[in-house]
Amino acid sequence: MQQSYMSAFFKNFLGNSPEWYKYAIIAFLVINPILFFYVSPYIAGWALVLEFIFTLAMALKCYPLQPGGLLAIEAVFIGMTTPKHVLSEIIINIEVLLLLIFMVAGIYFMKNLLLFLFTKIITRVKSKTAVSLLFCFAAAFLSAFLDALTVIAVIISVAVGFYSVYHKVASGKDFHHDHDHTSDNELAELSRNDLDDFRAYLRNLLMHAGVGTALGGVCTIVGEPQNVIIGQQANWEFVEFAIRMSPVTFPVFIAGMLTCVLLEKLKWFGYGAHLPDNVRNILQDFDEQESKKRTRRDNLKLIMQGVVGVWLIVALALHLAAVGLIGLTVIIFATVFTGVTDEHQIGHAFEEALPFTALLAVFFAIVAVIIDQKLFSPVITWVLTFEGNMQLVMFYLANGFLSMVSDNVFVGTVYITEVKKALLAGQITRDQFDMLAVAINTGTNLPSVATPNGQAAFLFLLTSALAPLIRLSYGRMVVMAFPYTIVLTIVGLLTISSGFLTSQTAAYYESGLIHHHTVDEAKEDPAGH
């Protein structure tokens, strides 16, 4: 029997999302105009923010771009903000959009080098603790200079590659045979225990690496998208950003690495799984075969990718250009010297980042509503009634809690925008603003490892094709992230509440490593207005 047009429309609306989710979005779209016109624009604005946070928290049900975009479009239509203001917010934050578009695409052309490095770590290092520490450290180091999403994407590629190789051999086939590694039907009975152990081993490495991307991502202006926004609003360059964050990020980094070692030694929260000898032998044989196949041309490509990596680090450290433009140079250099000339090959590099870039533009529409409806003004005014370190602690905790359930880019953008308004209104001093920017950045980056909702890298891992293969569910990810969440959040909180951040920043001023900024610098926004 043919379905009605209304039924077909409802089926098409937000596709395969659950019915209750579709009804929720429809209810939001109906309620918002009623609240705005007949109750209070302020209440309607808060309803919109909470609804948008709901779409972020439910990202596994439906990518937030579509439902969040509908809410943002409706907000503009009913007058919560204007298209002109939305465009203004996007222009002000153009550097973060360029970062996502060009830097992520640039690193795509360095994937072979990263795959080579992580493969060697797994096959050459025998100690599980050492491998875990190397994965965590390498992910942190790379995320400080590259994009966390790309780093985790590379590690997922390594894991999928090794999983499929072992699964193929355990099913009685050779390396070159075709095989469906998603089905265990052909697996020999003796190999099933090894496969379960291998899955646990890969879960460990991926979670260590995921946390590593957060540990490195918080340190530099390019580590996470919100870092760029915060750095822009504060007029900090790459080196100054890293120095200002270091009183919090350095102790947190050390604590994170120690946590990695302890979890492997104590075997708590699902960690401590070892790579079975049978699996190691198969992976080493495969790696040797791949190494023999590698030609001089292939080796030269790896060398050139390494050179481009050095250029990237130097260009960022010396702030030779805007971060996104440096990413564009990486695309050009990496393709020129590795033989990539086809338009379609280059096009693939942009697929990973553009959905999130579009979502970020929707973020800025919601930020425009928050500004126009003065939603956060009472909250910011209340928090600013606290003094000294307690003020920093309140911002750190508020950002941390919201980032656990929402998206840390959205939270960081909202708070730094509101604090910038307080600075320009004369409510806080420039030095106070700089300290609050550190609290906001660390607050959005550290506690957010608690759930996949807060960290884009975690969400990317959870929604990847690898997650079901290694039995990595939402619940299991939250449990495995729990010890890291506790340690990173508490160490970050202690460095801020104890006064260490304040005293260390004062020492940096005295030594000349950083300098006091003026309010006039902040008045010249990144768009040149």
Side-chain angles (χ1 to χ4, degrees):
M1 187 175 172
Q2 210 171 22
Q3 61 184 168
S4 68
Y5 278 108
M6 186 56 73
S7 174
F9 175 82
F10 189 73
K11 286 277 186 187
N12 287 341
F13 181 72
L14 296 180
N16 294 322
S17 306
E19 284 195 6
W20 65 264
Y21 183 87
K22 296 182 181 185
Y23 283 122
I25 299 301
I26 291 169
F28 296 159
L29 293 169
V30 171
I31 290 168
N32 289 344
I34 296 171
L35 289 175
F36 185 73
F37 291 114
Y38 299 106
V39 181
S40 161
Y42 184 79
I43 292 173
W46 267 110
L48 177 74
V49 170
L50 294 175
E51 290 159 6
F52 188 70
I53 289 173
F54 168 82
T55 67
L56 296 173
M58 294 289 114
L60 292 178
K61 305 297 180 188
C62 177
Y63 191 64
L65 174 63
Q66 293 91 323
L70 281 176
L71 294 170
I73 291 167
E74 182 186 63
V76 172
F77 265 112
I78 65 178
M80 285 188 177
T81 188
T82 64
K84 189 175 180 181
H85 190 180
V86 174
L87 179 61
S88 174
E89 288 299 316
I90 290 173
I91 291 170
I92 289 169
N93 294 289
I94 190 65
E95 277 201 38
V96 74
L97 295 174
L98 291 178
L99 164 78
L100 284 169
I101 295 168
F102 293 134
M103 188 64 82
V104 176
I107 306 311
Y108 175 89
F109 295 108
M110 295 171 63
K111 272 189 176 180
N112 287 342
L113 176 65
L114 299 175
L115 285 167
F116 175 80
L117 294 174
F118 282 109
T119 299
K120 293 304 177 189
I121 290 173
I122 286 182
T123 55
R124 300 293 170 88
V125 182
K126 296 287 175 72
S127 164
K128 171 64 188 313
T129 303
V131 171
S132 299
L133 197 59
L134 281 169
F135 259 69
C136 193
F137 179 83
F141 177 80
L142 290 168
S143 295
F145 295 98
L146 312 179
D147 172 77
L149 269 180
T150 307
V151 173
I152 206 72
V154 168
I155 298 170
I156 288 170
S157 299
V158 174
V160 169
F162 279 152
Y163 181 87
S164 61
V165 164
Y166 173 69
H167 202 280
K168 189 182 295 183
V169 173
S171 300
K173 297 177 182 177
D174 208 343
F175 295 137
H176 61 273
H177 288 152
D178 290 331
H179 178 66
D180 178 13
H181 58 262
T182 62
S183 171
D184 292 348
N185 293 337
E186 299 178 61
L187 209 63
E189 198 59 42
L190 291 172
S191 302
R192 290 182 185 269
N193 287 338
D194 280 347
L195 181 61
D196 288 338
D197 291 341
F198 188 32
R199 282 171 173 150
Y201 178 84
L202 290 177
R203 283 198 301 270
N204 289 183
L205 293 188
L206 283 156
M207 286 303 295
H208 288 312
V211 172
T213 62
L215 288 171
V218 68
C219 295
T220 66
I221 200 167
V222 296
E224 293 281 351
Q226 72 268 23
N227 299 20
V228 181
I229 295 167
I230 292 166
Q232 270 186 309
Q233 298 285 11
N235 285 338
W236 296 340
E237 294 181 355
F238 186 89
V239 174
E240 182 177 1
F241 186 99
I243 291 171
R244 284 186 179 273
M245 295 298 156
S246 63
V248 181
T249 57
F250 186 72
V252 165
F253 181 81
I254 298 299
M257 292 298 148
L258 290 174
T259 304
C260 175
V261 173
L262 284 173
L263 287 173
E264 286 300 327
K265 294 293 185 186
L266 299 172
K267 300 186 178 182
W268 290 353
F269 297 96
Y271 291 99
H274 286 274
L275 183 65
D277 290 335
N278 291 337
V279 180
R280 182 185 298 281
N281 294 335
I282 289 168
L283 298 184
Q284 285 176 336
D285 290 345
F286 174 73
D287 184 44
E288 285 172 14
Q289 274 201 22
E290 290 298 297
S291 297
K292 287 174 185 175
K293 286 182 192 174
R294 206 173 286 118
T295 63
R296 285 184 180 176
R297 188 177 174 187
D298 294 329
N299 290 331
L300 195 57
K301 284 180 182 178
L302 293 177
I303 292 168
M304 292 313 299
Q305 287 175 14
V307 171
V308 173
V310 172
W311 152 253
L312 171 63
I313 293 169
V314 171
L316 289 172
L318 298 179
H319 195 70
L320 298 181
V323 174
L325 296 182
I326 292 172
L328 181 57
T329 66
V330 168
I331 294 174
I332 294 166
F333 289 147
T335 52
V336 164
F337 296 110
T338 57
V340 177
T341 56
D342 185 72
E343 182 184 353
H344 296 293
Q345 282 179 285
I346 295 171
H348 285 306
F350 291 89
E351 290 175 2
E352 210 166 84
L354 285 182
F356 190 69
T357 307
L359 178 60
L360 204 58
V362 175
F363 281 2
F364 296 138
I366 304 298
V367 170
V369 171
I370 290 169
I371 293 169
D372 285 345
Q373 303 303 323
K374 299 180 172 57
L375 301 185
F376 273 69
S377 296
V379 180
I380 299 294
T381 302
W382 175 71
V383 174
L384 291 176
T385 59
F386 293 91
E387 294 183 357
N389 292 328
M390 196 59 201
Q391 189 183 86
L392 302 178
V393 167
M394 292 301 292
F395 268 90
Y396 175 83
L397 292 175
N399 279 268
F401 176 74
L402 269 178
S403 295
M404 286 182 187
V405 296
S406 179
D407 183 275
N408 54 8
V409 182
F410 175 64
V411 176
T413 304
V414 168
Y415 269 89
I416 196 65
T417 303
E418 289 299 315
V419 172
K420 179 75 169 283
K421 276 175 62 186
L423 170 66
L424 297 178
Q427 293 176 264
I428 57 175
T429 64
R430 175 62 213 226
D431 285 349
Q432 202 177 351
F433 169 81
D434 289 337
M435 298 294 281
L436 289 172
V438 175
I440 291 168
N441 186 64
T442 51
T444 56
N445 277 291
L446 300 175
S448 58
V449 300
T451 67
N453 308 50
Q455 285 279 339
F458 276 24
L459 188 62
F460 186 70
L461 171 58
L462 185 64
T463 54
S464 70
L466 176 66
L469 296 180
I470 61 172
R471 311 299 189 258
L472 185 61
S473 63
Y474 187 101
R476 183 171 253 161
M477 189 176 275
V478 170
V479 169
M480 294 182 79
F482 180 74
Y484 278 114
T485 305
I486 298 299
V487 172
L488 303 191
T489 303
I490 290 175
V491 174
L493 185 61
L494 288 174
T495 56
I496 292 172
S497 62
S498 65
F500 180 69
L501 170 62
T502 309
S503 61
Q504 196 59 42
T505 303
Y508 289 152
Y509 282 136
E510 283 182 28
S511 66
L513 280 173
I514 56 176
H515 65 280
H516 293 277
H517 291 275
T518 65
V519 177
D520 287 337
E521 287 180 71
K523 286 177 181 174
E524 296 174 10
D525 70 43
H529 295 161

